[in-house]
Amino acid sequence: MGYNFLPCNRNQAYLLPPSLADWLPESHLAWFVLEAIEQIDLEPFYAKYCINGVGNSAFNPSMMVALLIYAYCTGERSSRQIEKHCQSDVAYKVISANQSPDHSTISRFRKDNQSHLKLLFLEILRLCGEAGLVKLGNVSLDGTKIKANASLAANRTLEHLEQEIEKMLSEASAKDAQEDKAFGAGKRGDEMPEDLRDRNSRINRLKACKKRLDRERAQAVQAQQDKIEERETKEESTGKKSRGRKPKSPEEAKNKEAKANVTDPDSRIMKTQKGYVQGLNAQAVVTERQVIIAEDVTQQENDKKQLHPMLEQAESNRQAVEIKEKIVVALADAGYSSEDNFTKTAAGDIELLVATQKDYKQRKALKEQPPPDEPIPEGLSPTELMERKLLTERGRQLYKLRGQTVEPVFGQIKDVRGFDRFMRRGFEACRSEWSLICATHNLLKLWRSAKVCWN
């Protein structure tokens, strides 16, 4: 008697043509992504293609968009790895209709359509809204530092950049003279070295860094000059000398230690709880159900100037995707605390509830200090009023929601999906990538909620 095993013949040809529908279960994420793409307006992605069919055949943009979205949903962003998956992974084969775009095509599509990819965030937010997943009322705002595709060691001071540029130009001049002598003028030897002919070469990045540091130095000098003039004007009007230390001269205000990164000049040195990183500051406004309703990236190291722009974007997005429920309260940590933020009216008359001290101190105060007595004393500053509001029973209950909403979202993105570093370089490229990450975060929420009802 023989073993009762199922046949295992790898040379067996298919008796009937195989169907992609049999390759994955109906509940698989790949099918959900394809169904979601059918609900999204992809017209901007088709704009650059010839409608008369002239030219070489191109991959269908809807397939390429679905491929990128599925890859980002599963934590894969490398174009080379996506190419490999298309050759060996069943889910990727379903997404790509058994086609295999190479990594250059994938990378080029992502780069050429980075402005359109940002539109996907709104389209997916609209799908979440139609499914009833976007419950507003209370939202939370926070920022997280994402590493750039660059090293801290690649930062240079202005003086260092000037020396390096001068050195490279001197070497180029010496190289030209040497090759002129060896090959004669007018021949191949008289061309500039390759690293200076390439528009994306190191010297161009060095010049871009130098230009940025020159601009920031000029801004610092002008700001200090304005500060001195304001102080002098005040002293003349009051007839009294201002208290405090006399401001430094404009020349002394120059930050001689300011640095720029020669690998990605758009990135900045950012301080985190674990030390300093070379990166950018990614922002998100999140609902209680952890759906992102607004996102952006900034080069500013702190969050103070992001509060109102992010809430304006959140209100604009709410109207764009036609969500009737309004945002009532916005919760934020002490990174957004400032007198200017508290005195300015937020978009849509959103009420602000912002911590006025570091998170552990704020938690301690909410735990130990009793609710304030009524009525509210006169003459309190905006910051003091905010402190008082946080200590009320309502303020305590609302502020607890902040740590339960936005912080887990960053944990899901950075730790679970592995997005703790940008793959691309340049500010606009990173903005596009963060938008795609936030869009796929929302799409995964929609998939797991099982509240889909396509029209």
Side-chain angles (χ1 to χ4, degrees):
M1 292 180 65
Y3 293 110
N4 187 18
F5 292 152
L6 292 172
C8 182
N9 184 2
R10 295 181 180 85
N11 295 319
Q12 174 67 53
Y14 287 108
L15 299 179
L16 293 173
S19 171
L20 291 179
D22 298 330
W23 289 10
L24 293 173
E26 292 183 1
S27 60
H28 197 278
L29 174 62
W31 295 121
F32 180 83
V33 168
L34 292 175
E35 291 169 1
I37 292 299
E38 292 177 359
Q39 313 302 316
I40 294 176
D41 180 15
L42 298 178
E43 185 178 350
F45 291 90
Y46 288 84
K48 71 173 185 177
Y49 296 95
C50 295
I51 197 169
N52 57 9
V54 175
N56 294 331
S57 299
F59 290 104
N60 194 313
S62 65
M63 183 276 286
M64 295 296 291
V65 170
L67 182 61
L68 280 177
I69 288 180
Y70 180 77
Y72 272 67
C73 279
T74 56
E76 187 58 79
R77 293 175 291 129
S78 166
S79 57
R80 284 176 169 81
Q81 292 301 317
I82 295 173
E83 177 187 355
K84 290 181 179 179
H85 284 306
C86 288
Q87 298 169 357
S88 60
D89 190 298
V90 171
Y92 279 84
K93 283 180 173 290
V94 169
I95 292 286
S96 64
N98 215 13
Q99 301 175 90
S100 297
D102 61 37
H103 64 272
S104 296
T105 302
I106 297 168
S107 178
R108 186 166 54 248
F109 182 85
R110 179 168 51 187
K111 179 180 178 181
D112 293 345
N113 293 282
Q114 66 181 26
S115 60
H116 304 327
L117 289 173
K118 284 187 69 68
L119 299 177
L120 291 177
F121 175 79
L122 271 182
E123 288 292 317
I124 292 176
L125 182 61
R126 176 179 61 81
L127 296 181
C128 292
E130 292 175 354
L133 196 62
V134 183
K135 299 295 182 183
L136 298 178
N138 303 320
V139 301
S140 299
L141 166 64
D142 204 355
T144 185
K145 308 302 191 298
I146 304 290
K147 298 174 187 175
N149 191 358
S151 169
L152 271 172
N155 284 290
R156 301 289 186 273
T157 62
L158 181 59
E159 290 72 20
H160 192 157
L161 288 170
E162 291 173 344
Q163 294 172 6
E164 206 161 340
I165 291 172
E166 183 178 354
K167 178 182 177 182
M168 290 187 71
L169 291 175
S170 298
E171 290 176 352
S173 179
K175 181 75 172 177
D176 285 344
Q178 180 183 356
E179 291 183 347
D180 279 346
K181 184 177 180 180
F183 303 106
K187 295 184 179 181
R188 295 293 299 179
D190 67 350
E191 294 179 355
M192 292 185 73
E194 184 65 28
D195 61 346
L196 295 180
R197 283 186 274 118
D198 182 6
R199 291 178 298 175
N200 298 318
S201 67
R202 179 176 176 81
I203 194 169
N204 286 325
R205 295 198 301 273
L206 293 175
K207 289 180 177 178
C209 292
K210 182 179 182 299
K211 183 178 179 181
R212 175 202 146 196
L213 292 180
D214 284 335
R215 182 178 66 251
E216 291 181 354
R217 177 171 287 190
Q219 291 173 347
V221 169
Q222 184 60 47
Q224 192 67 11
Q225 183 63 43
D226 293 342
K227 185 177 180 180
I228 292 172
E229 291 176 358
E230 182 181 352
R231 180 186 176 99
E232 291 175 349
T233 302
K234 184 177 180 180
E235 289 178 346
E236 289 177 2
S237 62
T238 60
K240 298 180 180 180
K241 288 189 175 182
S242 299
R243 299 177 64 183
R245 184 180 299 177
K246 187 177 180 180
K248 295 179 180 180
S249 67
E251 287 300 315
E252 291 176 327
K254 293 180 181 179
N255 185 2
K256 297 182 180 180
E257 296 302 316
K259 296 180 179 180
N261 194 279
V262 296
T263 305
D264 185 358
D266 287 347
S267 63
R268 298 291 186 268
I269 299 175
M270 300 276 177
K271 185 178 181 180
T272 70
Q273 293 180 347
K274 298 180 180 180
Y276 289 91
V277 299
Q278 189 71 32
L280 292 166
N281 187 355
Q283 299 281 314
V285 180
V286 181
T287 69
E288 289 188 48
R289 293 188 176 182
Q290 300 180 1
V291 174
I292 301 173
I293 61 172
E295 49 73 34
D296 207 350
V297 171
T298 178
Q299 295 170 312
Q300 295 176 4
E301 290 83 356
N302 60 60
D303 299 326
K304 278 187 171 56
K305 295 183 179 180
Q306 308 310 314
L307 178 65
H308 289 284
M310 290 304 299
L311 292 180
E312 288 169 6
Q313 186 194 142
E315 178 63 17
S316 175
N317 290 350
R318 181 190 71 81
Q319 296 177 13
V321 300
E322 299 179 347
I323 298 174
K324 294 182 180 180
E325 185 182 9
K326 293 186 177 182
I327 303 171
V328 179
V329 180
L331 312 170
D333 63 16
Y336 299 88
S337 176
S338 74
E339 294 278 321
D340 291 340
N341 283 341
F342 297 155
T343 54
K344 182 179 178 181
T345 302
D349 289 328
I350 300 171
E351 180 185 357
L352 300 179
L353 196 61
V354 182
T356 57
Q357 49 192 333
K358 291 184 178 181
D359 201 49
Y360 75 93
K361 292 183 179 180
Q362 191 68 59
R363 293 176 189 272
K364 183 179 180 181
L366 293 176
K367 183 178 180 180
E368 297 178 354
Q369 295 185 25
D373 297 329
E374 297 295 343
I376 300 175
E378 295 182 0
L380 295 181
S381 68
T383 299
E384 290 171 334
L385 287 171
M386 184 62 68
E387 289 176 352
R388 183 182 178 86
K389 186 194 293 188
L390 284 162
L391 290 174
T392 63
E393 289 296 339
R394 175 176 176 269
R396 294 168 191 264
Q397 293 301 318
L398 286 174
Y399 191 74
K400 287 180 181 179
L401 297 175
R402 192 199 69 83
Q404 303 168 12
T405 52
V406 66
E407 291 182 1
V409 168
F410 290 149
Q412 293 162 20
I413 288 174
K414 298 175 75 172
D415 297 330
V416 178
R417 297 169 63 196
F419 183 75
D420 62 350
R421 181 185 296 273
F422 288 110
M423 289 286 291
R424 304 181 63 201
R425 293 172 181 165
F427 182 60
E428 290 302 324
C430 291
R431 288 185 70 199
S432 174
E433 190 170 11
W434 177 244
S435 183
L436 189 54
I437 281 290
C438 292
T440 50
H441 169 86
N442 287 346
L443 191 63
L444 287 169
K445 289 289 181 185
L446 184 59
W447 175 56
R448 294 184 180 118
S449 71
K451 292 186 177 182
V452 181
C453 183
W454 308 124
N455 294 327

